[in-house]
Amino acid sequence: MRTAWRSWFWNIVLMVVMTVMAAVLTGVALSQKNAVSAVGFGIAALLCWTGFFRAPTLGVYAKPRGVVVREFTRTTTIAWDEILGVELAQGGGPPVVTGPTAPVIRRRGKGGRAITVELNALGGYGLFRHDASPGQRAVADLNEHLKHWRS
């Protein structure tokens, strides 16, 4: 059982943008006579190349061992037995993608206290569907997986 909430179209767009930026920055870094400028542009190019390779893996996945949240800078895996619930809550991310509310996972942290993980790596999941927001669909799908895991 594996569900991916991401849009290949937007991931490809991100890859193209990162490739163009990385190529331009690499060219500028190699043409610089000033060593400090060359290093600065080289670091920026390296970050863009990293983004190029990371873009295809962005998203939220329900896997047999838990939920995997792959964002641009980090990957978080939450085991099914740590998940207290999946719901919509007031999000801190951009409302363009998730709406005024964002899907969140409430999980059991160290010491038994609840931790909230915001799922803001939905990409363009269901961008052109009008029956519900991407966040609402993600919450419904993850709750279905959670119910299946608990049974």
Side-chain angles (χ1 to χ4, degrees):
M1 160 188 356
R2 178 180 176 194
T3 302
W5 290 287
R6 61 184 170 154
S7 168
W8 281 101
F9 173 76
W10 293 114
N11 287 354
I12 290 171
V13 168
L14 180 60
M15 285 178 64
V16 169
V17 169
M18 293 304 248
T19 304
V20 170
M21 289 175 53
V24 168
L25 289 169
T26 301
V28 171
L30 294 174
S31 68
Q32 289 295 312
K33 292 182 176 41
N34 183 337
V36 174
S37 294
V39 168
F41 281 108
I43 290 171
L46 182 63
L47 289 173
C48 287
W49 285 116
T50 302
F52 166 77
F53 288 108
R54 185 73 173 172
T57 64
L58 298 178
V60 178
Y61 305 91
K63 294 193 174 188
R65 68 178 187 271
V67 177
V68 178
V69 181
R70 298 185 130 235
E71 297 175 316
F72 188 72
T73 57
R74 68 178 176 207
T75 299
T76 305
T77 302
I78 305 166
W80 288 113
D81 60 347
E82 294 178 10
I83 297 176
L84 302 172
V86 183
E87 59 194 40
L88 287 173
Q90 194 63 33
V96 175
V97 174
T98 59
T101 58
V104 296
I105 294 177
R106 305 251 187 246
R107 69 182 283 198
R108 188 177 311 115
K110 293 180 179 157
R113 60 170 231 242
I115 298 173
T116 301
V117 178
E118 187 173 335
L119 304 178
N120 51 15
L122 295 177
Y125 175 67
L127 193 60
F128 299 108
R129 290 177 48 194
H130 300 290
D131 57 337
S133 74
Q136 290 168 329
R137 285 190 294 279
V139 167
D141 291 345
L142 279 176
N143 276 323
E144 189 65 35
H145 285 290
L146 183 61
K147 186 171 91 175
H148 180 316
W149 181 82
R150 287 184 176 160
S151 62

